Amino acid sequence: MNLSNATKSARSPVALLGAALLLAGVTAGWVQWRARRAEQSNPPAGDLLDIDGVRLHCVERGAGPPVVLIHGNMVWHRDFFTSTLIQRLARNHRVIAFDRPGFGHSTRPRDRPWTPAAQGKLLHAACARLGVERPVVVGHSMGAMVALAMALDYPADVRKLVLLGGYYYPSTRMDALLAVPTAMPVLGDVLRNTVTAVSVRLFLKKMLKAMFVPRELPADFLLTLSGEMMVRPVQLGANAEDATFMNRQAKSSSERHHQLQLPVAIFAGAEDLVVDVEAHSMRLHDELRHSTLGVIPGVGHMVHYAAVEEIVAAIGEDLLDDTSLARSVSRADQTAGVNLPF
């Protein structure tokens, strides 16, 4: 075979396909190795419960009236440690923070669609297993959808809702459309172990910064939450699947908002780039007669990092120090027409 023929052979579709498959296999092996190493470096910090075929990881701190914390997408329960919300609440409350299915150390079996309602059902069962009666349920972002579903489906078992930066009404979202391929069976498995795993690593810090804008990404955020834990294939899949369920759940829940009779405290960052504050938090407040609303100026999607004392107060804590009270009054003065929950 002459050099010209050898070059043509090397460029044949079969040869190119073989090279692509080899590269994909090597990449997938590397991704899985990184995922295992991340899990070994960040072992479970709490209990692993077997609930309805799911290994559910939960962390408890403190004692007193119960509070359940439900995190949003991309992150896991450690988000509430980085924001210091767990530490602050644990002074006077029994705080239970879950890793939602597919996040952190919780599994996500493929035997059911993990809608926010399905996740709420699971966490409700976990609360019963733990002897947690009528907790205040706090949810951030996607976790707010899960918290809302819990309150709608089990109204007698939720004392109060505290919703942070939530998405409550259906709308067209480009991120949900882009997530579809990664959420699909087979194709999604391939993407999560190759292309998506690599691309998310490249843009992870940029995506996280967008969640905190206009504030800076906390210096210890990636260290505490572990970037490698956030980009594991299982968590990338959970993120994608959650995104595809957003509109369906929002439509279902919004048609039942009128059923809510419990107190609801709603918080949002005034400069949230992820969820439109007026279209969601303000609209929900207008709809719910038993709700209060705190829109925090100069804050983006991660409102629980900037409004810890306000959130604690909304949960029912009355041990505010003078500094936090002054800070809250100042914000109230800046937020015309918005009711802070005091």
Side-chain angles (χ1 to χ4, degrees), residues 46-63:
D47 294 325
L48 296 172
L49 308 177
D50 184 2
I51 307 287
D52 195 20
V54 179
R55 185 191 70 195
L56 186 67
H57 181 223
C58 69
V59 173
E60 290 197 43
R61 294 291 186 273

Side-chain angles (χ1 to χ4, degrees), residues 26-332:
V26 171
T27 303
W30 177 78
V31 167
Q32 287 294 330
W33 173 72
R34 299 279 291 194
R36 288 193 298 270
R37 193 172 74 163
E39 290 168 355
Q40 292 167 359
S41 301
N42 299 274
D47 294 325
L48 296 172
L49 308 177
D50 184 2
I51 307 287
D52 195 20
V54 179
R55 185 191 70 195
L56 186 67
H57 181 223
C58 69
V59 173
E60 290 197 43
R61 294 291 186 273
V67 178
V68 169
L69 301 179
I70 310 175
H71 65 81
N73 266 6
M74 294 187 67
V75 298
W76 47 311
H77 83 273
R78 282 191 188 175
D79 181 45
F80 291 116
F81 277 103
T82 311
S83 70
T84 73
L85 186 58
I86 284 184
Q87 298 92 312
R88 177 63 181 84
L89 285 170
R91 296 179 194 174
N92 299 92
H93 295 273
R94 178 188 179 189
V95 189
I96 304 98
F98 291 103
D99 284 338
R100 294 192 292 109
F103 296 84
H105 292 284
S106 294
T107 59
R108 193 176 178 106
R110 298 188 178 188
D111 59 351
R112 74 205 81 170
W114 283 106
T115 63
Q119 295 183 44
K121 179 181 179 181
L122 179 73
L123 299 189
H124 176 261
C127 287
R129 174 78 62 84
L130 294 168
V132 177
E133 298 182 0
R134 299 194 69 233
V136 174
V137 180
V138 182
H140 172 246
S141 194
M142 178 61 69
M145 298 190 81
V146 177
L148 188 57
M150 284 181 69
L152 287 168
D153 291 339
Y154 309 99
D157 297 330
V158 176
R159 182 181 303 275
K160 184 176 187 177
L161 278 179
V162 180
L163 305 175
L164 315 173
Y167 178 85
Y168 311 114
Y169 300 92
S171 62
T172 301
R173 288 188 63 97
M174 186 57 66
D175 55 349
L177 296 174
L178 293 174
V180 171
T182 307
M184 293 173 62
V186 185
L187 174 61
D189 291 324
V190 174
L191 292 175
R192 294 192 291 269
N193 282 278
T194 55
V195 177
T196 304
V198 174
S199 62
V200 169
R201 278 176 168 82
L202 294 175
F203 295 103
L204 179 62
K205 195 166 185 177
K206 184 177 181 180
M207 291 188 291
L208 293 174
K209 283 183 176 180
M211 291 163 58
F212 281 91
V213 167
R215 295 195 167 208
E216 294 294 322
L217 176 71
D220 61 344
F221 187 87
L222 273 169
L223 179 64
T224 306
L225 272 82
S226 171
E228 285 297 326
M229 285 290 286
M230 289 190 279
V231 298
R232 294 170 302 145
V234 62
Q235 194 149 318
L236 293 177
N239 275 320
E241 289 173 2
D242 281 355
T244 63
F245 288 131
M246 285 175 61
N247 272 329
R248 188 188 314 176
Q249 182 68 43
K251 182 177 186 302
S252 174
S253 291
S254 62
E255 292 171 351
R256 300 174 60 198
H257 285 166
H258 65 279
Q259 297 175 11
L260 289 171
Q261 298 299 317
L262 75 171
V264 180
I266 305 164
F267 285 92
E271 299 184 51
D272 192 334
L273 300 180
V274 179
V275 179
D276 185 280
V277 177
E278 185 174 355
H280 293 278
S281 293
M282 290 184 178
R283 180 179 172 186
L284 183 65
H285 172 56
D286 288 341
E287 186 176 358
L288 299 181
R289 54 180 298 197
H290 301 290
S291 70
T292 58
L293 175 65
V295 177
I296 311 301
V299 174
H301 190 58
M302 305 298 273
V303 65
H304 53 302
Y305 280 71
V308 172
E309 294 299 337
E310 290 89 333
I311 293 167
V312 170
I315 287 168
E317 177 82 80
D318 59 2
L319 301 177
L320 286 172
D321 59 34
D322 293 338
T323 301
S324 64
L325 182 58
R327 185 162 65 109
S328 300
V329 170
S330 174
R331 281 183 176 153

Side-chain angles (χ1 to χ4, degrees), residues 2-34:
N2 61 35
L3 183 60
S4 176
N5 289 336
T7 302
K8 289 180 181 178
S9 176
R11 292 177 178 173
S12 71
V14 174
L16 291 175
L17 177 61
L21 290 174
L22 177 61
L23 178 60
V26 171
T27 303
W30 177 78
V31 167
Q32 287 294 330
W33 173 72
R34 299 279 291 194

